[in-house]
Amino acid sequence: MKYSLDTLPPAQDWRKIVSRGKYPLLLVYELNQGLLHTHTVAESAVRLKNYCRISGGSYLYEPEVQQFIGHIISVLRTRPLRTLAWLKRYNRVVRQLYRWLKKLPAILAHEDVPVSKLRQLYREYERHVQATWRWAYLPFLMDDAIEIEMRRALI
């Protein structure tokens, strides 16, 4: 959703996930892409479509955050081991990205890398980063779901 100054939801409707100086590379991909209109988190149908960056802080739209936390709670209640599968998948995707990145210096060491090869490399980069970003918001959102479930279990 695109916002103008007249339609921007109030500040209390946004959740700050990163402050200035923290996680400097964490949101670089999303900053390059702009709003998250098709952003999948984990293997869920829930989408985080709204993202805001103001004064060095990164924010997610709270109603969408609550919807996703509800999804995580549902998974914790019905299939708790699935969250461990998410972690395994995240680790695999990150390792694939790192292996691919390690190959780049040798490829780019040549002074005459054709533009077509650079385009191909960029498209490969996009695919790897998109796959990685499906998992990147989980740490910011999982804590709330786990806390809610632990309180429910202990009370």
Side-chain angles (χ1 to χ4, degrees), residues 68-74 76 140-151:
F68 189 73
I69 289 170
H71 172 71
I72 294 172
I73 289 170
S74 173
L76 287 170
F140 296 108
L141 306 175
M142 187 72 101
D143 283 350
D144 286 6
I146 291 172
E147 180 181 345
I148 290 167
E149 280 305 287
M150 288 182 71
R151 283 183 190 211

Side-chain angles (χ1 to χ4, degrees), residues 98-114 117-118 121:
Y98 285 153
R99 278 194 301 270
W100 184 82
L101 288 171
K102 284 182 179 181
K103 295 177 186 177
L104 280 181
I107 295 169
L108 298 174
H110 306 288
E111 292 181 21
D112 57 345
V113 178
K117 181 65 175 176
L118 293 174
L121 290 171

Side-chain angles (χ1 to χ4, degrees), residues 1-154:
M1 176 178 288
K2 293 186 179 183
Y3 295 108
S4 71
L5 290 178
D6 297 327
T7 62
L8 188 67
Q12 67 267 20
D13 289 345
W14 294 88
R15 175 182 289 225
K16 189 174 194 174
I17 59 170
V18 176
S19 297
R20 181 182 301 278
K22 290 187 175 182
Y23 311 106
L25 297 177
L26 187 60
L27 297 173
V28 167
Y29 175 73
E30 296 304 346
L31 293 174
N32 288 334
Q33 298 303 308
L35 296 176
L36 311 175
H37 293 291
T38 60
H39 197 71
T40 304
V41 178
E43 294 169 338
S44 143
V46 177
R47 300 287 192 264
L48 295 176
K49 298 177 182 177
N50 296 286
Y51 168 79
C52 183
R53 180 107 174 135
I54 300 172
S55 298
S58 297
Y59 300 81
L60 296 175
Y61 188 51
E62 188 65 30
E64 293 171 352
V65 167
Q66 290 304 316
Q67 183 184 13
F68 189 73
I69 289 170
H71 172 71
I72 294 172
I73 289 170
S74 173
V75 171
L76 287 170
R77 288 179 184 174
T78 60
R79 300 175 311 240
L81 293 179
R82 185 160 186 201
T83 58
L84 295 177
W86 287 348
L87 179 61
K88 186 176 181 179
R89 171 94 169 139
Y90 171 74
N91 286 330
R92 187 174 73 227
V93 168
V94 169
R95 280 193 312 271
Q96 288 171 347
L97 173 62
Y98 285 153
R99 278 194 301 270
W100 184 82
L101 288 171
K102 284 182 179 181
K103 295 177 186 177
L104 280 181
I107 295 169
L108 298 174
H110 306 288
E111 292 181 21
D112 57 345
V113 178
V115 172
S116 60
K117 181 65 175 176
L118 293 174
R119 284 189 191 119
Q120 175 198 347
L121 290 171
Y122 185 75
R123 284 191 291 275
E124 289 176 30
Y125 163 78
E126 283 285 309
R127 282 193 300 275
H128 282 289
V129 171
Q130 285 174 3
T132 303
W133 268 102
R134 288 188 186 121
W135 307 96
Y137 286 105
L138 235 93
F140 296 108
L141 306 175
M142 187 72 101
D143 283 350
D144 286 6
I146 291 172
E147 180 181 345
I148 290 167
E149 280 305 287
M150 288 182 71
R151 283 183 190 211
R152 184 180 72 87
L154 296 173

